[in-house]
Amino acid sequence: MMGATSLKNENVVRVRVPAPASAGVILSYKCSAACRHCMYACSPAWKADWITESDLYQLLSSLTGHIVPSPWGRERVSLSHGLHFTGGEPFLNFKLLVLAVQMAAELDIPSTFVETNCSWCVSDAVTRERLEHLRRAGLKGIMISVNPFYVEYIPFERTERCIRISQEVFGPNVMIYQIEFYRQFKRLGLQGKVSFERYLTLAATLGGTIAVEMFLMGRAARALKPYYRSYPASVFFGEPCQPPFLRDWHNHFDNYGNFMPGFCGGISLGSWRELDRLIRDGIDLREHPVLRHLIAEDIRALLDFARGYGYQESPQGYVSKCDLCLDIRLHLVKHGNFPELSPLAFYEQLALDEGSPSEGQRAREEAV
Ligand code: SF4
Ligand code: SF4
């Protein structure tokens, strides 16, 4: 495998894509929420372009030989092993989710789980019925999302209900991401939906801070800017992508055919319809100039490249390397044709967010 540094050499024309040892399958980007931190800029505004049954089968079939089970075994789950179904909110199309679980079980894919924001957990009966249905179909576990951005949309009682009943249905195969926020919300006695601004006020009453993983990428890089310090682009020139851009774990495969590196919304390594070829022959960097710089993790070279398309550094600065990367890509999609910047709807959604700042507020108020 070629290192990021060696890719700065322009004579390198091809780079291999690691075979995916774990994977997230995005059934669609449509969501019941529009969280400020969402890496994929999901929201209720996305078209309901659910992955088709034939695409789902083709994707799962091509992944099946590669997926590595959890270190605790095929029947157990862990965040960066096995295969998970995600979105958007996968429970918005429960029929498709059940079908996906059945297909994965028939293909003997290990350590499968679903990721959810719990918006659908409106009663104990509905929650239990759906979770048991999925377990019977072959699902091994669940990952339940908890942080201050979800609770703006999802009443905390639904999250608590989902955790309680999931633990009865899936036993130890329940992951709460992030448990630190769950414990903090319990200490605060949160109820209903809580705005981020109110959460900050409440959290301050507890004193101290909690250390949690936070990626300032996707919508987070734009919507959370007021809460972070900004820096000039040059501050990020030597910084590697974290986690590494090309890796074999926790990559995502979407309903539009994109094989997406890690958590990098709007970037495609190619079509998962050609997964075997991508793994065997790699990516032709001459045809994908943006990917060349991204794979080299060389943000300075990407900035220079984008200047050729009229990009100008933001005088306001950037909160993270991913913020700079995204700002450049938002410019490039408007001024060139780069198939590696996909899906285009990701960039359109971000532009929509910014075109109507009241949109997020309205969605929070209307959220189930
Ligand atoms: S619930 Fe998940 S997918 Fe939906 S907007 Fe929030 S972070 Fe994104
Ligand atoms: S800088 Fe760009 S390529 Fe690297 S992790 Fe961030 S979004 Fe992905």
Side-chain angles (χ1 to χ4, degrees):
M1 186 62 223
M2 202 113 13
T5 309
S6 55
L7 280 167
K8 291 181 184 173
N9 178 347
E10 292 198 355
N11 295 323
V12 176
V13 292
R14 276 193 177 273
V15 62
R16 283 238 181 94
V17 177
S22 66
V25 174
I26 295 178
L27 298 182
S28 93
Y29 289 80
K30 194 166 184 67
C31 194
S32 45
C35 305
R36 302 189 206 202
H37 75 310
C38 187
M39 296 156 170
Y40 299 105
C42 298
S43 79
W46 277 75
K47 275 172 75 180
D49 288 333
W50 296 95
I51 192 168
T52 64
E53 289 183 27
S54 58
D55 276 359
L56 189 54
Y57 190 75
Q58 187 185 342
L59 172 58
L60 294 177
S61 302
S62 59
L63 287 171
T64 185
H66 301 295
I67 300 300
V68 173
S70 158
W72 296 282
R74 304 176 68 83
E75 301 298 310
R76 297 294 305 276
V77 295
S78 46
L79 261 189
S80 293
H81 292 85
L83 181 140
H84 63 281
F85 298 106
T86 185
E89 173 49 52
F91 280 82
L92 285 179
N93 190 340
F94 187 64
K95 203 171 145 203
L96 181 67
L97 176 59
V98 171
L99 187 70
V101 169
Q102 284 168 341
M103 282 182 189
E106 279 164 22
L107 291 164
D108 203 23
I109 295 177
S111 304
T112 52
F113 65 94
V114 64
E115 181 175 352
T116 185
N117 66 19
C118 310
S119 55
W120 53 278
C121 299
V122 292
S123 72
D124 279 19
V126 166
T127 308
R128 187 177 300 281
E129 195 274 322
R130 290 190 175 185
L131 293 176
E132 285 185 344
H133 194 138
L134 290 171
R135 185 179 52 77
R136 283 195 302 276
L139 192 71
K140 307 301 179 204
I142 188 166
M143 192 195 97
I144 296 166
S145 305
V146 188
N147 78 22
F149 308 112
Y150 298 101
V151 80
E152 292 201 277
Y153 293 91
I154 318 295
F156 187 51
E157 301 80 79
R158 295 190 192 180
T159 304
E160 291 191 285
R161 175 181 290 127
C162 192
I163 291 171
R164 171 171 53 81
I165 299 178
S166 290
Q167 285 171 337
E168 291 167 18
V169 174
F170 291 110
N173 287 346
V174 178
M175 296 174 284
I176 301 170
Y177 186 82
Q178 289 149 310
I179 189 76
E180 295 87 350
F181 282 121
Y182 177 72
R183 293 192 184 120
Q184 186 194 46
F185 290 1
K186 292 292 280 180
R187 281 178 70 201
L188 289 169
L190 288 198
Q191 287 193 328
K193 291 187 262 179
V194 179
S195 73
F196 184 57
E197 290 73 17
R198 172 141 177 77
Y199 160 77
L200 290 177
T201 307
L202 290 171
T205 64
L206 293 179
T209 53
I210 53 174
V212 289
E213 185 176 59
M214 177 76 200
F215 297 102
L216 285 174
M217 63 201 310
R219 185 184 283 130
R222 321 286 290 184
L224 297 179
K225 224 174 241 270
Y227 299 95
Y228 288 86
R229 193 166 158 199
S230 293
Y231 302 90
S234 57
V235 166
F236 304 105
F237 284 174
E239 202 175 283
C241 291
Q242 290 167 343
F245 183 75
L246 279 188
R247 60 194 211 212
D248 64 359
W249 55 275
H250 214 125
N251 292 303
H252 288 85
F253 300 81
D254 79 6
N255 50 316
Y256 299 115
N258 298 302
F259 176 176
M260 302 160 77
F263 310 124
C264 304
I267 301 176
S268 179
L269 296 175
S271 169
W272 53 250
R273 296 175 210 283
E274 300 180 351
L275 185 62
D276 289 344
R277 193 189 58 73
L278 277 174
I279 294 169
R280 189 186 61 238
D281 302 337
I283 301 167
D284 188 331
L285 299 176
R286 291 166 298 191
E287 293 169 9
H288 301 96
V290 178
L291 270 188
R292 167 181 284 283
H293 303 309
L294 294 176
I295 292 172
E297 301 189 5
D298 189 349
I299 199 72
R300 178 184 207 152
L302 184 66
L303 178 59
D304 286 344
F305 175 80
R307 282 193 178 116
Y309 285 81
Y311 180 76
Q312 292 183 340
E313 193 177 328
S314 162
Q316 280 80 44
Y318 308 91
V319 292
S320 64
K321 181 185 174 189
C322 299
D323 181 17
L324 171 59
C325 175
L326 177 59
D327 203 54
I328 291 172
R329 288 185 281 125
L330 276 160
H331 181 87
L332 289 175
V333 290
K334 277 195 245 158
H335 295 90
N337 180 18
F338 304 101
E340 59 266 57
L341 299 182
S342 180
L344 285 179
F346 166 83
Y347 298 97
E348 289 161 7
Q349 284 298 322
L350 286 172
L352 198 71
D353 282 358
E354 282 156 34
S356 51
S358 59
E359 188 70 11
Q361 181 64 35
R362 189 187 58 73
R364 278 191 285 282
E365 284 161 5
E366 289 179 3
V368 283

